[in-house]
Amino acid sequence: MTTTRFQSQNQTGALTDAPKVHVVTFGCQMNKYDSMLAEGRFIAKGYSTTASMDEADVVLFNTCSVRDHAEERTYSWLGEIKREKERRPGLVIGVMGCMAQRVEEEVFRRAGHVDLVVGTREFQRLPELVAEVRERRLDPNLSGKHERRILATDGAVEVEVDRSDETWTGGSHAFLAVMRGCDLSCTYCIVPATRGRVKSRPIESLVQEARWLVEQGVQVITLLGQTVNSYGEDFPAPADGEEQFRGRQGRPSLADLLHELQQVEGLARIRLITLHPAYVTRELAEAIRDCGKVDRFLPLPAQAGSDPILKAMKRGYTLDLYRRRIELLRSIVPDIELGSDWIVGFPGESEEDFAGSEAFLEEIGFVVNYIFKYDPRPTTRSAESLSDDIPEEVKKERNRRLLDLSARVGLRRTSSYVGREVQAFLESRSDRREGTLLGRTIHGLPVSVAAGDEWLGRLSTVLIKEATAFGMSGELRG
Ligand code: SAH
Ligand code: SF4
Ligand code: F3S
């Protein structure tokens, strides 16, 4: 959970007594980006943002549905804020994001003090919807609580982004969603239901936002998508005579976007989250090789190391196919580092299947791993057709074993850099150690280095001295 980084300031930076909005964000980076977009819309309408829930006039929860725990946490926060609403009836409470899209008016049933439920596509209308809530409260003809509430969960609305009237206060790193939604149908996953079909944003509009971010002081941009490397697959094929791109049938692809962003002056680093093996192409690998600003790190979730489980998950690849994609990538970018997500305790996962996940993690040498215990999500194929038959203790045990292995493999990967000079982008000061800067190597790995502030925001050379499972430290070499 993160709260937002905007200050209680208006667009010119002055302190104001404008209405204040506070956003609480759960879930993935896409939600963080959407919270920023929502805040930007409020700021453009004369609001300020506040880090304090107590002084907010509008409190929004940007929610996640990927596991039950994420939804329950939201309800527990909503329970907390109920007392605040009793004390301050003027407070407007909104729920946005994936859970809002998934359960719609169910939120009102479980949390009667919520005024607004806004899905994953309509959140940029929030300031208008909040105004509408306020108007309805004053309308003597609307006596019932339910008549004053607003539900805005149209899944067909296109999310268009124009931030030119915003002032960026988010620091040197920014997220940028290049596509939304997912056209795959992994049997365990709720995301296609909450985020809908794939919709890629046009290249020009993305480059424009990237330029705007850079003008506002951003140096590092992380490109987001549920399957970010399927970017552009939903664009129509160009007609004869139209500009042809590298992507399939001449459509723009992630490779084209990377080449465009590589040209943006002042942009120092480009990162990617999250890729799917099915869309790993030669063009993409070549773009990573040729675009020096792109980190040589790819989160490319394998999810499992057993063909029968991958099939039951409907991931769309076998281990062999995954291996072949990695061979292709490594033949073009030999030093690429990889990360993965894993689900343990998927229905029917035998000890042998699980041992396959351990072996595959080891074999590929994933340096960063996120491990999740299988959670049957309502309406998903696996929840409806397979019994959640792996006991919780076994899931926990497998989770722990994979985490331990991940730490060992991570350390093996980071140790391989000890004694070598690496390129690293230094991004922030360490809170814990004075005179130390933190950054990431061009292989996406956290690094700390003793250096003065003049090195902030610079690509530098670091001699790696020490490694842990989660990062490295070294000496500045220039
Ligand atoms: N689009 C990304 C992942 C999105 S969800 C991809 O395809 O890889 C983030 C992670 O949550 C997934 O990679 C998966 O490991 C985990 N996850 C999703 N649904 C889950 C479920 N029902 N139970 C446990 N983990 C789940
Ligand atoms: Fe979910 Fe699969 Fe789509 Fe990822 S690729 S968002 S896991 S359906
Ligand atoms: Fe959660 Fe939605 Fe992201 S379900 S993981 S917030 S796409």
Side-chain angles (χ1 to χ4, degrees):
M1 194 277 308
T2 48
T3 49
T4 51
R5 287 169 288 171
F6 278 93
Q7 308 294 309
S8 280
Q9 292 177 344
N10 71 3
Q11 285 196 65
T12 55
L15 288 170
T16 67
D17 53 7
K20 294 186 178 69
V21 61
H22 176 82
V23 186
V24 181
T25 308
F26 302 95
C28 64
Q29 290 84 353
M30 185 79 80
N31 267 13
K32 289 184 190 156
Y33 177 68
D34 287 350
S35 290
M36 285 232 151
L37 292 183
E39 284 174 328
R41 295 299 91 216
F42 277 101
I43 289 171
K45 290 281 185 276
Y47 277 72
S48 62
T49 57
T50 171
S52 152
M53 207 180 285
D54 295 343
E55 59 174 43
D57 304 289
V58 177
V59 176
L60 299 171
F61 295 91
N62 194 0
T63 60
C64 173
S65 267
V66 82
R67 281 168 291 277
D68 183 56
H69 177 66
E71 294 197 350
E72 286 312 313
R73 259 172 74 210
T74 300
Y75 282 118
S76 122
W77 276 71
L78 286 172
E80 294 271 314
I81 205 169
K82 189 170 178 194
R83 279 191 292 274
E84 185 66 16
K85 174 100 177 208
E86 281 159 6
R87 205 168 59 78
R88 291 194 291 139
L91 183 65
V92 176
I93 301 175
V95 175
M96 59 185 276
C98 285
M99 185 180 92
Q101 187 72 46
R102 186 181 88 75
V103 304
E104 303 186 298
E105 53 274 271
E106 171 79 20
V107 175
F108 296 134
R109 281 196 287 276
R110 277 191 66 178
H113 52 296
V114 170
D115 303 289
L116 260 171
V117 171
V118 182
T120 50
R121 305 253 164 174
E122 293 195 80
F123 57 91
Q124 293 192 100
R125 289 208 295 132
L126 269 162
E128 292 77 14
L129 297 172
V130 167
E132 169 89 31
V133 165
R134 291 216 163 102
E135 263 169 43
R136 288 190 190 184
R137 280 179 181 171
L138 298 174
D139 187 339
N141 299 321
L142 300 179
S143 52
K145 213 174 174 183
H146 59 280
E147 290 173 311
R148 295 186 180 158
R149 291 169 176 155
I150 295 178
L151 178 73
T153 49
D154 186 344
V157 171
E158 209 166 299
V159 182
E160 281 173 15
V161 183
D162 176 3
R163 310 179 78 178
S164 47
D165 54 0
E166 246 183 67
T167 303
W168 173 257
T169 53
S172 65
H173 171 265
F175 292 117
L176 176 54
V178 305
M179 49 90 73
R180 290 169 177 274
C182 182
D183 283 351
L184 301 181
S185 41
C186 305
T187 55
Y188 53 80
C189 186
I190 196 75
V191 172
T194 65
R195 292 273 176 186
R197 309 272 307 162
V198 167
K199 191 82 201 148
S200 301
R201 236 175 99 182
I203 274 200
E204 310 76 56
S205 148
L206 291 167
V207 172
Q208 197 180 0
E209 186 168 335
R211 284 191 205 286
W212 174 80
L213 285 166
V214 169
E215 275 163 27
Q216 309 273 322
V218 166
Q219 291 181 292
V220 183
I221 296 183
T222 300
L223 306 181
L224 302 176
Q226 270 78 30
T227 52
V228 72
N229 50 333
S230 76
Y231 172 79
E233 294 267 327
D234 56 312
F235 290 141
D240 280 354
E242 264 182 1
E243 191 180 359
Q244 298 285 316
F245 290 91
R246 293 176 180 79
R248 280 206 293 145
Q249 297 167 15
R251 302 182 190 108
S253 65
L254 184 60
D256 295 292
L257 180 59
L258 295 179
H259 280 282
E260 289 296 321
L261 293 176
Q262 172 72 23
Q263 309 300 322
V264 173
E265 220 169 295
L267 177 60
R269 304 300 307 160
I270 302 165
R271 296 176 185 150
L272 299 170
I273 298 179
T274 292
L275 292 90
H276 189 284
Y279 305 101
V280 171
T281 59
R282 173 170 292 276
E283 290 72 32
L284 176 61
E286 287 171 351
I288 296 170
R289 180 195 62 197
D290 298 339
C291 299
K293 293 179 180 177
V294 179
D295 271 8
R296 271 103 180 97
F297 173 80
L298 299 180
L300 188 66
Q303 308 292 0
S306 137
D307 283 338
I309 297 291
L310 287 172
K311 192 164 179 212
M313 287 178 165
K314 216 165 163 263
R315 281 293 287 176
Y317 51 85
T318 57
L319 294 177
D320 255 0
L321 201 132
Y322 190 102
R323 282 188 189 102
R324 285 208 297 277
R325 299 291 158 137
I326 301 298
E327 274 163 25
L328 172 71
L329 264 174
R330 286 183 172 153
S331 70
I332 296 166
V333 194
D335 58 342
I336 197 96
E337 292 286 355
L338 299 164
S340 183
D341 294 356
W342 303 90
I343 296 178
V344 296
F346 188 81
E349 184 188 63
S350 66
E351 187 52 37
E352 191 192 338
D353 292 321
F354 175 69
S357 293
E358 292 180 302
F360 203 58
L361 191 159
E362 181 108 46
E363 175 191 330
I364 303 291
F366 294 102
V367 62
V368 179
N369 296 279
Y370 294 99
I371 299 151
F372 306 99
K373 289 178 288 168
Y374 172 69
D375 186 9
R377 306 301 294 128
T379 72
T380 58
R381 283 259 299 277
S382 66
E384 291 190 339
S385 62
L386 301 170
S387 111
D388 181 17
D389 57 356
I390 308 299
E392 183 59 23
E393 309 79 73
V394 177
K395 286 183 185 169
K396 273 197 186 139
E397 162 71 4
R398 290 179 183 171
N399 191 20
R400 197 189 51 70
R401 274 164 62 192
L402 216 48
L403 269 176
D404 287 350
L405 175 64
S406 166
R408 289 201 297 281
V409 172
L411 180 61
R412 196 173 77 208
R413 293 296 323 135
T414 54
S415 301
S416 71
Y417 292 94
V418 173
R420 285 164 58 191
E421 287 189 348
V422 299
Q423 298 285 93
F425 187 75
L426 301 176
E427 282 165 65
S428 61
R429 289 184 203 95
S430 163
D431 292 337
R432 284 189 290 164
R433 217 184 285 165
E434 199 151 324
T436 299
L437 299 184
L438 306 176
R440 264 171 208 275
T441 71
I442 60 162
H443 298 97
L445 303 172
V447 68
S448 70
V449 55
D453 281 0
E454 68 277 15
W455 289 93
L456 269 178
R458 285 171 64 178
L459 192 64
S460 31
T461 306
V462 177
L463 173 65
I464 300 300
K465 290 291 209 181
E466 275 177 57
T468 70
F470 309 104
M472 305 179 290
S473 57
E475 281 170 10
L476 191 67
R477 281 301 150 102

